[in-house]
Amino acid sequence: MGDDDDGSSITSSIYSYVYENGRRYHAYREGNYLLPNDAEEQERLDLSHHIFRLQLGGALHFAPIDRNLKRVLDLGTGTGIWAIDFADEFPNAAVIGCDLSPIQPQWRPPNCSFFVDDIESDWTYARHEAFDYIHGRGMGGSVSDWPLLCRRSLEHLNPGGWFEIQDYDTAIYAYNDPDLETAPRTREWQVLVNLAAERSGRTMNVAHRQKQWMIEAGYQDVHEEVVQVPIGTWTKDPRLKEIGTFQLEHMLSCIPAFTLAPLTRVLNYTVDEVRLIMAGVRAEFTDPKRRLMTKFRFVYGRRPPHAHAHAHAHAPSHSPPAPGDVLPAAPTAEEERRDGPPSPDAIRIRNVRDIGSQETVDSRNRP
């Protein structure tokens, strides 16, 4: 992977997309990434970008980067929205985004460029092409060897440069119900999706391991900020209600994106079986009484300013308090009687069509 390797040439074969179950998937390195790349998925990615920025108060990064940085790399850039926004805010920085899919817009700031490439291939950047900041977001399930990616990123940073991973746990839990006893369909769904991802060689639920991987790779000043985000508007906090509104819509879009290919390709479920599972999960997501939530994690560390890239480095003895690492306040029973639960239709941004019935499908052993 590099500025001048074959990834810089977008050929017709890259646009030979794979179509299945009504969704479109990437063709370059087919099968390396189980999520779609069609218009519906691009809307989900852009909505996710908005949710991350809401949590950061409009910022694009948590790491204390230098305003005068010169070169920036965005791993798995997706629609390119983060790279474009970053290039606008840092006009003196050359921002490079790479992805398996050529779904980035033609219009972009002059200091922003995109390449179709696999971040798990060898990196061919020369030493003088090292970066001041490397960023990745929402990459769970897309990388087979995270420790290797952390080491490669470290090797391609300038001394003192920062590496940041922004991601969310694929483990969903409920307020005062971490085992999801009140949401059994959601519990079954996330077990199946994680199992499919692991069997494909790209584990999905990795966000909670990023900090340790960075420490082991040799980064200094490694921090992890954890933000708990409600799915829906059941919390009393006005700011979390806003974020939860968008997060509910995002999660509804995640259901087909994260389910169709993993369960049909890897676990050999039929499309009809998958539709039944998705319908049950949708029903639980849109029920505010379930009080579902998840965790977003912002992990960042820097290359030692005066040490070899492979030198062992430790995280500070304590990390600053995570700004959102508190449980959102749930409405009291009296408040629920007074205000009533919000209507699922009222908190959706757009209509999401339910597929199949509300029945659940029995778990079974799959090859």
Side-chain angles (χ1 to χ4, degrees):
M1 187 181 80
D3 288 1
D4 300 318
D5 65 7
D6 292 340
S8 62
S9 299
I10 299 179
T11 64
S12 59
S13 63
I14 294 174
Y15 293 95
S16 300
Y17 297 122
V18 176
Y19 294 85
E20 62 181 54
N21 302 322
R23 302 301 298 265
R24 189 189 74 185
Y25 298 84
H26 71 93
Y28 181 60
R29 303 288 172 89
E30 181 182 346
N32 280 11
Y33 184 62
L34 290 174
L35 272 60
N37 68 358
D38 51 20
E40 184 177 346
E41 175 67 0
Q42 292 174 46
E43 289 181 6
R44 183 189 73 81
L45 294 173
D46 287 349
L47 176 58
S48 176
H49 174 72
H50 179 62
I51 294 169
F52 274 100
R53 294 201 73 170
L54 281 176
Q55 294 178 62
L56 292 174
L60 292 164
H61 58 90
F62 222 124
I65 58 177
D66 191 327
R67 291 293 305 179
N68 297 317
L69 45 76
K70 299 301 182 184
R71 281 177 60 82
V72 176
L73 178 62
D74 185 28
L75 304 174
T77 194
T79 64
I81 189 171
W82 182 93
I84 290 171
D85 284 357
F86 195 93
D88 281 337
E89 292 191 17
F90 292 80
N92 294 324
V95 181
I96 299 170
C98 62
D99 199 274
L100 289 172
S101 295
I103 56 175
Q104 302 77 36
Q106 294 296 318
W107 52 265
R108 55 182 181 266
N111 58 322
C112 180
S113 57
F114 298 113
F115 296 88
V116 175
D117 210 341
D118 185 354
I119 62 172
E120 295 199 273
S121 298
D122 291 337
W123 292 23
T124 59
Y125 296 107
R127 182 64 251 174
H128 70 276
E129 296 176 316
F131 297 94
D132 302 303
Y133 178 51
I134 299 177
H135 166 271
R137 186 178 66 189
M139 295 174 63
S142 61
V143 176
S144 62
D145 191 339
W146 275 102
L148 176 59
L149 181 63
C150 287
R151 292 194 300 271
R152 279 180 173 163
S153 297
L154 184 68
E155 292 166 0
H156 288 83
L157 281 171
N158 283 315
W162 290 90
F163 178 43
E164 179 170 356
I165 292 290
Q166 304 178 7
D167 214 334
Y168 45 83
D169 292 355
T170 58
I172 298 168
Y173 58 102
Y175 185 79
N176 289 336
D177 180 21
D179 296 326
L180 285 181
E181 297 294 334
T182 59
R185 295 173 181 177
T186 300
R187 181 179 59 199
E188 175 193 25
W189 172 69
Q190 63 186 19
V191 168
L192 291 174
V193 170
N194 285 325
L195 174 61
E198 289 176 3
R199 288 189 179 180
S200 71
R202 288 170 168 78
T203 303
M204 190 78 67
N205 194 28
V206 297
H208 64 289
R209 303 178 64 185
Q210 299 290 359
K211 179 180 179 180
Q212 187 60 34
W213 283 331
M214 284 194 192
I215 293 172
E216 293 172 354
Y219 291 86
Q220 279 187 348
D221 302 326
V222 180
H223 294 275
E224 178 186 47
E225 315 293 349
V226 183
V227 181
Q228 300 194 70
V229 175
I231 300 173
T233 59
W234 54 265
T235 178
K236 293 187 293 185
D237 184 276
R239 178 175 172 274
L240 290 176
K241 277 183 179 290
E242 178 187 10
I243 296 176
T245 299
F246 291 111
Q247 180 63 3
L248 172 61
E249 174 63 16
H250 176 247
M251 293 304 299
L252 291 172
S253 299
C254 282
I255 295 172
F258 283 75
T259 309
L260 282 167
L263 267 61
T264 58
R265 291 184 190 177
V266 183
L267 300 185
N268 296 327
Y269 274 74
T270 68
V271 176
D272 288 340
E273 288 172 335
V274 172
R275 286 174 175 171
L276 291 177
I277 293 173
M278 293 193 300
V281 177
R282 267 192 295 268
E284 292 182 347
F285 279 1
T286 54
D287 182 357
K289 293 182 180 179
R290 313 272 180 175
R291 299 177 180 179
L292 299 177
M293 53 200 311
T294 189
K295 291 181 180 179
F296 281 64
R297 298 175 188 266
F298 302 83
V299 185
Y300 54 96
R302 63 171 179 159
R303 178 176 173 175
H306 306 294
H308 190 275
H310 294 291
H312 184 70
H314 295 279
S317 58
H318 64 277
S319 298
D325 200 10
V326 294
L327 285 171
T332 64
E334 180 180 351
E335 289 170 330
E336 285 191 340
R337 286 194 298 270
R338 182 189 65 209
D339 301 330
S343 164
D345 292 334
I347 56 180
R348 293 192 188 186
I349 300 170
R350 58 179 173 82
N351 293 327
V352 178
R353 178 172 59 89
D354 283 344
I355 303 175
S357 72
Q358 297 296 315
E359 300 175 9
T360 185
V361 64
D362 293 335
S363 301
R364 64 192 68 185
N365 294 325
R366 298 279 173 167

